[in-house]
Amino acid sequence: MNDLPLADLDAFAAVARERSFRTAARKRGVSASALSEALRRLEARLGVRLLNRTTRSVTATEAGMRLLERLSPALGEIAGALDQAASERDKPAGTLRLNVPTIVARVILPPIIGRFLKAHPAISLEVVAEDGFIDVLAAGFDAGVRYEERLEKDMIAIPIGPRVQRYVTAAAPDYLAKHGEPQHPRDLLEHTTIRHRFQNGIALAWEFGEGAAAITVAPPPTVLANAIDLEISAAVGGLGVIRSFEEFLLPEIKAGRLVPILEAWVTSFPGPFLYYAGRRHLPAPLRAFVDFLKAEQRHSERYGMFP
């Protein structure tokens, strides 16, 4: 008897307490016939009558009264447990695990997670920053952040951070004074450069412009690294031309340690996206983060700015 359907036991208790199929059905939002069928199944499984039914009344039998007395506390405990589980939607807790590119970890994510964690103090955050391309779910992450061309097609993606970013080119004043300023991307083939190599060993060529007007060059590097701090330091030290996210180079440009060049060839592209599997029931921390990002996106659209 340990495999008695919980729904049938709950239906019996509801009818026994209300002493009416119709009243119990109305309160539960089901039909009276559904409750009657549930009771029929339960009595058949137990081999005993639990309710006496007439056209005018429904009353529990002696066996039904004993069952109701034992059953009510257990059903109450179950209802309380379900209510507590449902309350996690309003007060989510747990750990949110994200895999993000370096640019996102350094520039985009910090102000966002500051606001998010203050709004959800019961959530903790684990972030791994890497520029490689991995299966985030297989690696144990709840979600990842990537740019549009790297999004997996079977995932759900929502914007995170600025909707437009730029790639810019720069060099140190001393380097330009010594080697001259390139006027066209192809001129970079005659210059030394500082280029980025991803963790998988790939060093992408530099692409300037968009569409049919795009130009791709792969100038010889003086420094080839996967550490942006080292790359920026090398550029500031006059070792060559650097091309990277504007957010990385802007502090050095503002300080005068780097000078923007090839400004007619600045490349704009869509900002990053948070992506995750399209499961119906997301982990509570991820659901809270998704809802938070959507609210911030609505705010930015309403006021014409990224918050």
Side-chain angles (χ1 to χ4, degrees):
M1 294 299 178
N2 292 334
D3 59 345
L4 288 173
L6 180 61
D8 290 353
L9 291 169
D10 192 36
F12 155 72
V15 175
R17 284 193 293 263
E18 299 295 337
R19 297 187 179 186
S20 168
F21 281 92
R22 289 185 179 179
T23 301
R26 185 175 63 253
K27 289 186 175 181
R28 296 169 63 84
V30 298
S31 67
S33 60
L35 293 182
S36 180
E37 178 61 22
L39 186 63
R40 185 198 64 76
R41 288 193 302 267
L42 184 59
E43 289 180 331
R45 291 289 299 277
L46 294 175
V48 64
R49 180 177 290 277
L50 299 173
L51 295 176
N52 291 316
R53 302 180 281 280
T54 70
T55 56
R56 308 177 82 177
S57 66
V58 175
T59 57
T61 64
E62 184 176 350
M65 287 295 296
R66 287 197 297 268
L67 177 60
L68 183 61
E69 289 175 0
R70 298 285 300 274
L71 198 57
S72 292
L75 291 175
E77 286 291 325
I78 292 172
L82 293 176
D83 287 343
Q84 183 177 5
S87 70
E88 295 298 322
R89 295 173 300 181
D90 302 319
K91 297 180 179 179
T95 301
L96 174 63
R97 299 173 177 86
L98 301 178
N99 182 281
V100 307
T102 303
I103 179 67
V104 172
R106 289 191 56 172
V107 177
I108 296 173
L109 204 55
I112 293 175
I113 64 171
R115 296 189 294 269
F116 173 69
L117 293 178
K118 286 179 181 178
H120 299 283
I123 293 178
S124 60
L125 183 68
E126 291 183 9
V127 178
V128 171
E130 57 183 344
D131 295 320
F133 307 111
I134 66 170
D135 183 336
V136 295
L137 296 183
F141 296 96
D142 297 307
V145 176
R146 290 295 182 268
Y147 286 85
E148 193 169 24
E149 72 275 10
R150 297 296 179 180
L151 293 177
E152 299 177 33
K153 301 305 181 184
D154 59 345
M155 294 285 199
I156 295 175
I158 64 171
I160 180 172
R163 298 321 316 132
V164 177
Q165 289 183 267
R166 306 198 314 164
Y167 249 78
V168 300
T169 314
D174 290 346
Y175 175 89
L176 296 176
K178 183 176 180 179
H179 299 280
E181 181 177 340
Q183 302 300 311
H184 190 279
R186 293 193 187 94
D187 295 342
L188 292 171
L189 296 174
E190 306 300 322
H191 285 258
T192 57
T193 61
I194 296 148
R195 292 175 56 192
H196 185 78
R197 179 166 61 188
F198 291 95
Q199 290 168 322
N200 59 8
I202 294 175
L204 296 178
W206 288 352
E207 185 174 304
F208 296 82
E210 301 175 12
I215 295 174
T216 300
V217 296
T222 297
V223 175
L224 182 63
N226 66 352
I228 188 62
D229 290 333
L230 174 63
E231 296 162 39
I232 294 173
S233 178
V236 170
L239 297 182
V241 176
I242 188 170
R243 181 169 172 81
S244 188
F245 288 95
E246 184 176 37
E247 292 91 341
F248 279 153
L249 303 186
L250 196 56
E252 302 300 331
I253 291 174
K254 287 183 175 180
R257 290 185 287 267
L258 289 177
V259 176
I261 60 175
L262 297 173
E263 293 185 85
W265 297 90
V266 168
T267 303
S268 299
F269 52 92
F273 293 81
L274 177 84
Y275 73 100
Y276 54 95
R279 293 175 291 183
R280 183 176 180 183
H281 299 295
L282 297 178
L286 177 57
R287 167 54 61 194
F289 192 53
V290 168
D291 291 343
F292 177 83
L293 292 178
K294 288 180 177 179
E296 291 222 329
Q297 184 65 23
R298 289 193 297 269
H299 181 279
S300 66
E301 292 172 353
R302 180 177 180 181
Y303 293 102
M305 58 179 289
F306 173 67

